[in-house]
Structure formats: C-alpha cells, structure tokens
Amino acid sequence: TLVRHGITAGCGSGDYCPDAAVRRDQMAVFLLKAVHGSDYVPPGCAGVCVDGPCPSLFADWVEQLSEEGITGGCGTGIYCPADPVLRQQMAVFLLKAEHGSGYEPPACQASFDDVACPSLFADWIEQLATENITGGCSVAPPLFCPGNPNTRGQMAVFITKTFGLQ
C-alpha cells in the first residue's frame, strides 16, 4: 500500500525489507509523504540540525518534520538521523502528524502491562491503541514493546491505518 501510494519505493532492488528497523531520517520521509502526498518535496535544508550534513539525502525531510512541529529532535539542534525509531517514539510522531503539532492525547488508563502510567509516552501509546492503529505487540498479556525498534513492516501498518490508506 505504501509503495502504491508513492510513500516509499522500498529499500532497494525491488525489496521492502519489512523486518529492518526504520531510521529516524527515513521516518521523516514516510510521515511527510503520508501527510502531504506522494509528490511532496520539502524546501531545502538550512542546516538547523547539526548532527547531519546539509545538503544530504534526508536533511530537507528532517528539517521540515521539525518545522511542522512533529518532532523536536532528540536533543537541542540534533535529530539523531541514523538512530532507529522506537515504538514509543512512533506513537508521538504518528499522532502529531495525524492531528497536528499541538495535539495532546487524553490521559492514560494503564492499558499495556509494559507501559507505566503515567509516563512520558503512555498517553500517546494508549491513544494509538484507542484509534485502532495498533493492538500492541502482544494481546495476552497486553504489551506494546515500547523500547523496541519500529520495523519497516510495522511502519507500513501504522501509516496505512493512521492515514486511512487503501
């Protein structure tokens, strides 16, 4: 579905690499194309994120994701572009991309056994489940696996469900 909608071309040689972890720089492209459409091209980078060269393959995308308020990076002026996106981080990215940068989810209700409520990501994770974007990584017991890297296969499901792609 993501390939058909022009959100990704895969990982090369006609492959999608569903079990590979999604890097933070790759995720910027996934999200911005899901939000703005497959023809979207962000403005050129200005060197805002100091932990990646500008210009580069992903710098424009990373800076635009920050400009739209979907991410604040992983520290002041840094984005950690080569780091894998963790599942707990993905919950925030998806919901801010879907609802806007000012979105705040309702308070958590302790839905997952491995997500402390309250905690930094709990509200976001539970809202992702409330919107039927995820059921977590285990039903019995109910787990989300918040510290696990988000795979490209999981990213495909998350984006397809978040943005209602058919």
Side-chain angles (χ1 to χ4, degrees):
T1 300
L2 294 185
V3 171
R4 192 171 56 251
H5 282 273
I7 293 171
T8 183
C11 61
S13 302
D15 294 330
Y16 182 73
C17 305
D19 296 326
V22 177
R23 294 188 331 245
R24 290 173 58 88
D25 55 4
Q26 296 166 331
M27 188 258 328
V29 178
F30 278 119
L31 287 177
L32 289 171
K33 284 194 171 215
V35 170
H36 298 294
S38 62
D39 293 332
Y40 178 75
V41 177
C45 62
V48 173
C49 297
V50 297
D51 60 341
C54 172
S56 67
L57 182 61
F58 294 105
D60 302 348
W61 299 93
V62 166
E63 287 192 11
Q64 186 61 31
L65 200 69
S66 178
E67 178 67 27
E68 292 187 19
I70 296 172
T71 185
C74 60
T76 305
I78 59 173
Y79 184 74
C80 305
D83 287 359
V85 178
L86 301 181
R87 287 174 55 88
Q88 63 192 8
Q89 296 165 332
M90 194 69 245
V92 179
F93 289 136
L94 284 167
L95 291 171
K96 283 192 173 216
E98 177 189 20
H99 297 292
S101 62
Y103 177 74
E104 290 292 331
C108 60
Q109 302 296 314
S111 301
F112 294 101
D113 291 354
D114 61 346
V115 178
C117 175
S119 64
L120 181 60
F121 294 101
D123 300 348
W124 300 92
I125 290 167
E126 289 192 12
Q127 185 60 29
L128 212 60
T130 297
E131 293 186 20
N132 293 313
I133 295 168
T134 186
C137 64
S138 169
V139 175
L143 302 174
F144 184 74
C145 303
N148 287 3
N150 198 91
T151 68
R152 291 175 59 88
Q154 293 165 348
M155 174 67 90
V157 174
F158 287 158
I159 287 186
T160 299
K161 287 186 168 190
T162 300
F163 298 100
L165 303 176
Q166 305 275 329

